Amino acid sequence: MASALGTSSIAVLPSRYFSSSSSKPSIHTLSLTSGQNYGRKFYGGIGIHGIKGRAQLSVTNVATEVNSVEQAQSIASKESQRPVYPFSAIVGQDEMKLCLLLNVIDPKIGGVMIMGDRGTGKSTTVRSLVDLLPEIKVVAGDPYNSDPQDPEFMGVEVRERVLQGEELSVVLTKINMVDLPLGATEDRVCGTIDIEKALTEGVKAFEPGLLAKANRGILYVDEVNLLDDHLVDVLLDSAASGWNTVEREGISISHPARFILIGSGNPEEGELRPQLLDRFGMHAQVGTVRDAELRVKIVEERGRFDKNPKEFRDSYKAEQEKLQQQITSARSVLFSVQIDQDLKVKISKVCAELNVDGLRGDIVTNRAAKALAALKGRDNVSAEDIATVIPNCLRHRLRKDPLESIDSGLLVTEKFYEVFS
């Protein structure tokens, strides 16, 4: 959302934010706010009033009535998109798939870092998650995907509208997945001044960046260990506070930027800065499949997908829908899942004896165990759930010892059985 700043603090909603096929809200019956039409022109839901030659910008509700023609166009645009490999069709890599699913169920886990050999399906698996992402309620026309009920996830303008007693238009839209390319510039990531508005209307307006689009969604960075340091600093700041603050070209603005951070990379190409590594809730290690029969199956499945993507996706449609329902059900019962005090103490004891810095390890392990119990349809966490997730939650938080030959995940597992026995 472009926010007119300086002498005016009125928000402007450019129409380009409603054209994204991946996150187009399903609006059915929204109407324009009442008022005089004299001197007003409409540009994608924005009413510009002409009063004595002075342009005054104001937000109106999105003037949209989705008819059958637009629905058909929407379906056609979805079908014309680049086909995504189905998540259910991915063979093996269970650890990586589980970490991704747990983060979708409980975004507060804090994301997942996937490290492994090249050509092991890391990017394919992450991007295949798009089909499984559930719908969330957002304020109509808001580029920050503001939550209509939670003030923590509201943009400043939306919060002001709530305080004024204005009734918000709410729509359902799928959770966003935003790709952060390695060559992205800082102003494209954080947002910058809207040059078009500055030149045509003479006003300072903010053009939101990728962090705004990723709010309440997923931010994916492929080859994250090759990301430039200045972009790493931006991600660290947003991941720590949950807000993105922009101070540039006379603009001062803050907006919510809470996202699930997913990164992938090959450890041979370089290490990740420890500050950023600690921001990932979970860590998954991916290895090359050694079983010859399994490798043949993967090659055959990929060949089928390349030959006819639509037919291949249709063959996994039932499995995809079943998994999507399982995720939706788990998200709905997550708040009711309980973990015994005794298990909490043992989790913290494992973290303490492994000399894990800080308390993020304890918090993430508790959340991941609850998400796994919810995924299995239970309302109580078991020791087995903790054993499954604790290596992924603590592996990347241990202090590195260059003389240690044993994998850090095995160290966590050994300590777990020692404490829980």
Side-chain angles (χ1 to χ4, degrees):
M1 180 163 49
S3 302
L5 302 172
T7 58
S8 173
S9 60
I10 303 167
V12 181
L13 306 178
S15 59
R16 61 179 174 273
Y17 290 109
F18 303 99
S19 62
S20 174
S21 59
S22 62
S23 60
K24 183 174 180 180
S26 53
I27 309 171
H28 296 286
T29 55
L30 292 177
S31 60
L32 286 167
T33 54
S34 60
Q36 294 181 350
N37 290 332
Y38 176 73
R40 178 189 292 186
K41 295 181 181 179
F42 291 100
Y43 299 95
I46 305 167
I48 302 181
H49 303 261
I51 302 174
K52 295 182 181 179
R54 183 181 174 186
Q56 184 178 356
L57 304 180
S58 66
V59 178
T60 65
N61 288 341
V62 184
T64 309
E65 246 184 62
V66 182
N67 54 30
S68 57
V69 176
E70 288 174 328
Q71 288 176 349
Q73 289 175 345
S74 175
I75 294 170
S77 66
K78 285 181 180 178
E79 290 180 351
S80 65
Q81 285 178 1
R82 186 173 63 179
V84 178
Y85 198 86
F87 190 86
S88 305
I90 292 168
V91 180
Q93 313 298 12
D94 295 329
E95 180 181 321
M96 171 172 58
K97 291 193 289 186
L98 179 63
C99 290
L100 290 171
L101 290 177
L102 295 182
N103 273 275
V104 173
I105 293 168
D106 185 3
K108 289 186 177 179
I109 288 173
V112 56
M113 178 67 206
I114 304 166
M115 296 296 275
D117 306 330
R118 59 181 71 88
T120 48
K122 299 185 294 294
S123 302
T124 302
T125 306
V126 173
R127 293 195 170 100
S128 69
L129 203 61
V130 170
D131 290 336
L132 303 176
L133 296 178
E135 290 185 329
I136 54 173
K137 288 182 180 179
V138 300
V139 177
D142 183 62
Y144 308 123
N145 301 320
S146 292
D147 189 329
Q149 297 170 336
D150 187 355
E152 283 189 23
F153 290 98
M154 283 184 187
V156 176
E157 295 88 354
V158 173
R159 194 178 299 180
E160 287 176 358
R161 288 164 60 187
V162 171
L163 292 174
Q164 292 168 5
E166 185 179 338
E167 189 173 343
L168 301 174
S169 299
V170 179
V171 293
L172 284 174
T173 183
K174 264 203 165 189
I175 289 177
N176 260 341
M177 177 177 283
V178 179
D179 271 282
L180 177 61
L182 292 178
T185 57
E186 188 176 336
D187 59 347
R188 185 67 193 97
V189 175
C190 297
T192 186
I193 191 169
D194 191 330
I195 301 297
E196 183 183 350
K197 280 200 168 297
L199 294 176
T200 58
E201 299 177 22
V203 295
K204 290 178 183 177
F206 178 65
E207 183 174 4
L210 295 179
L211 292 179
K213 191 177 179 183
N215 185 42
R216 299 181 68 205
I218 294 173
L219 185 66
Y220 174 50
V221 190
D222 195 9
E223 306 294 349
V224 65
N225 46 341
L226 302 181
L227 196 65
D228 286 342
D229 281 348
H230 68 281
L231 291 182
V232 171
D233 294 337
V234 168
L235 288 183
L236 280 172
D237 189 32
S238 296
S241 63
W243 284 77
N244 175 39
T245 302
V246 180
E247 301 280 354
R248 58 175 60 206
E249 287 95 20
I251 283 181
S252 177
I253 192 168
S254 294
H255 65 79
R258 293 180 182 270
F259 46 79
I260 303 171
L261 184 60
I262 298 179
S264 62
N266 183 355
E268 294 178 1
E269 295 170 357
E271 291 293 328
L272 198 62
R273 279 170 58 178
Q275 302 97 314
L276 184 60
L277 189 59
D278 189 56
R279 291 293 171 187
F280 289 97
M282 303 181 79
H283 185 283
Q285 283 189 340
V286 182
T288 304
V289 177
R290 302 299 176 191
D291 186 343
E293 291 183 5
L294 208 55
R295 292 170 75 111
V296 170
K297 184 180 179 182
I298 294 170
V299 172
E300 288 176 345
E301 292 283 86
R302 185 70 210 190
R304 280 179 56 208
F305 176 75
D306 291 339
K307 186 178 179 181
N308 192 334
K310 189 176 185 303
E311 183 183 316
F312 183 79
R313 284 172 57 83
D314 288 343
S315 67
Y316 281 93
K317 190 174 181 180
E319 291 182 44
Q320 289 280 96
E321 288 177 352
K322 183 181 177 182
L323 187 54
Q324 195 170 21
Q325 289 172 0
Q326 198 176 354
I327 291 170
T328 304
S329 175
R331 282 172 65 96
S332 64
V333 301
L334 179 64
F335 71 95
S336 63
V337 177
Q338 301 295 323
I339 180 168
D340 293 339
Q341 183 68 23
D342 180 50
L343 294 179
K344 290 180 182 177
V345 172
K346 286 182 177 178
I347 289 172
S348 293
K349 189 176 180 183
V350 171
C351 294
E353 293 190 8
L354 286 171
N355 293 320
V356 175
D357 292 331
L359 294 173
R360 284 202 185 102
D362 307 56
I363 295 169
V364 170
T365 305
N366 278 271
R367 284 179 175 160
K370 286 183 178 180
L372 181 57
L375 183 63
K376 292 179 178 179
R378 290 187 278 101
D379 57 2
N380 269 302
V381 174
S382 67
E384 184 184 350
D385 297 330
I386 299 169
T388 304
V389 300
I390 200 168
N392 304 111
C393 298
L394 302 182
R395 173 192 287 144
H396 57 300
R397 304 180 194 278
L398 302 187
R399 294 180 180 176
K400 297 252 181 192
D401 184 355
L403 301 178
E404 188 66 68
S405 58
I406 189 170
D407 176 63
S408 55
L410 293 176
L411 285 175
V412 175
T413 305
E414 286 178 2
K415 183 60 68 175
F416 167 83
Y417 283 110
E418 180 185 319
V419 172
F420 276 73
S421 60

